[in-house]
Amino acid sequence: MRSRMERQAMRILLVEDEIELARALKDQLARHDMVIDHVRTVSDAVAILRDRVHDVLLLDRRLPDGDGLDIIRHQRAQGFSTPVMMLSARGDLADRVEGLEQGADDYLGKPFATSELVARLRALARRPARIEEEIVRAGRLEFDFHHLEARIAGRPLVMPRRERLVLAALMRRFDCMVLRPSLMEQVFGLDDSVQSNALDSHVCRLRRKLTDAEAGLVLEGIRGVGYMLREAI
Ligand code: CA
């Protein structure tokens, strides 16, 4: 017997330019109580994401006007946290790693069985959103995503916007390594002219502030890979 949760229709945004495949997917997923909004291009996906909320994004990589990964970059830069499954014939390891590094939550290579796709889509939709709450606490720190403010024991931790963006990115994926490309984008947007070591300077100042304020957090890094925030033991 299916749970109440599963009976509620999941809304999925499918971005796929192969019309036959899209049609087949739409039919198959509809049988599993999934409602599909289908678009064919990156620009149409970006447009629909502005005014509709979806439970999962199901993205093809090779699209007429770009790479499906562009959609992830766009939605993350706008602060959306809808889970993303990449769907692509390019299912080799390097492509998977690239997809996951760019913010996809899961990856399924074509061809695939519908039953597997359905199971994985449900698993993704069940996952708590990465910014499910406005205020998240860790150690002695309280972070308000809505106002982008940090407080310790109720007192605001004053810092420039870039450092607050670093902190937001790390708090959003607490206890997880956040990779450099993702951090760069969340802190500097799509500005390519920024030097990569600017990020390290912000991280360094943020780390010092957290230590001085006795936040009870450790900001760790792996050179050239990324940073991670966790509770001090
Ligand atoms: Ca395609």
Side-chain angles (χ1 to χ4, degrees), residues 5 7 26 35 44 54 59 76 81 88 97 101 115 120-121 150 163 175 180 187 192 197 199-200 208 228:
M5 182 74 186
R7 252 183 274 135
K26 221 170 159 169
V35 177
D44 286 350
H54 298 86
L59 308 181
R76 300 291 190 239
S81 59
S88 176
V97 169
E101 278 182 351
S115 55
R120 293 227 216 153
L121 286 173
E163 282 167 49
D175 248 348
R180 288 189 76 88
V187 176
D192 289 335
N197 60 11
L199 174 67
D200 305 286
R208 199 175 311 135
M228 155 177 176

Side-chain angles (χ1 to χ4, degrees), residues 16-18 60 62-63 110:
E16 170 63 75
D17 60 325
E18 290 169 50
D60 183 27
R62 287 182 183 171
L63 296 166
K110 295 176 191 170

Side-chain angles (χ1 to χ4, degrees), residues 51-133:
D51 49 34
R52 279 199 216 168
V53 177
H54 298 86
D55 296 300
V56 180
L57 306 186
L58 187 53
L59 308 181
D60 183 27
R61 287 232 14 209
R62 287 182 183 171
L63 296 166
D65 59 343
D67 188 326
L69 291 179
D70 298 338
I71 299 165
I72 304 185
R73 279 192 275 273
H74 181 273
Q75 76 134 10
R76 300 291 190 239
Q78 300 293 311
F80 297 126
S81 59
T82 314
V84 175
M85 174 171 301
M86 297 297 308
L87 207 57
S88 176
R90 299 196 289 175
D92 67 44
L93 185 63
D95 277 333
R96 278 174 202 232
V97 169
E98 190 190 7
L100 296 171
E101 278 182 351
Q102 300 289 327
D105 298 276
D106 200 357
Y107 206 115
L108 196 56
K110 295 176 191 170
F112 50 84
T114 311
S115 55
E116 185 178 6
L117 176 62
V118 167
R120 293 227 216 153
L121 286 173
R122 288 213 172 112
L124 274 183
R126 275 197 299 269
R127 227 185 249 186
R130 272 174 285 208
I131 322 173
E132 71 281 12
E133 287 165 19

Side-chain angles (χ1 to χ4, degrees), residues 113-183:
T114 311
S115 55
E116 185 178 6
L117 176 62
V118 167
R120 293 227 216 153
L121 286 173
R122 288 213 172 112
L124 274 183
R126 275 197 299 269
R127 227 185 249 186
R130 272 174 285 208
I131 322 173
E132 71 281 12
E133 287 165 19
E134 276 189 8
I135 295 176
V136 172
R137 292 171 185 83
R140 296 176 63 233
L141 184 98
E142 207 176 80
F143 192 80
D144 180 337
F145 283 102
H146 189 66
H147 298 100
L148 218 60
E149 276 172 7
R151 284 184 292 268
I152 289 185
R155 289 179 47 198
L157 194 59
V158 180
M159 52 186 146
R161 182 174 165 80
R162 299 279 193 211
E163 282 167 49
R164 285 184 279 140
L165 287 171
V166 174
L167 184 56
L170 295 172
M171 286 296 282
R172 202 169 280 143
R173 303 206 63 185
F174 194 75
D175 248 348
C176 296
M177 181 63 63
V178 186
L179 302 169
R180 288 189 76 88
S182 167
L183 276 172

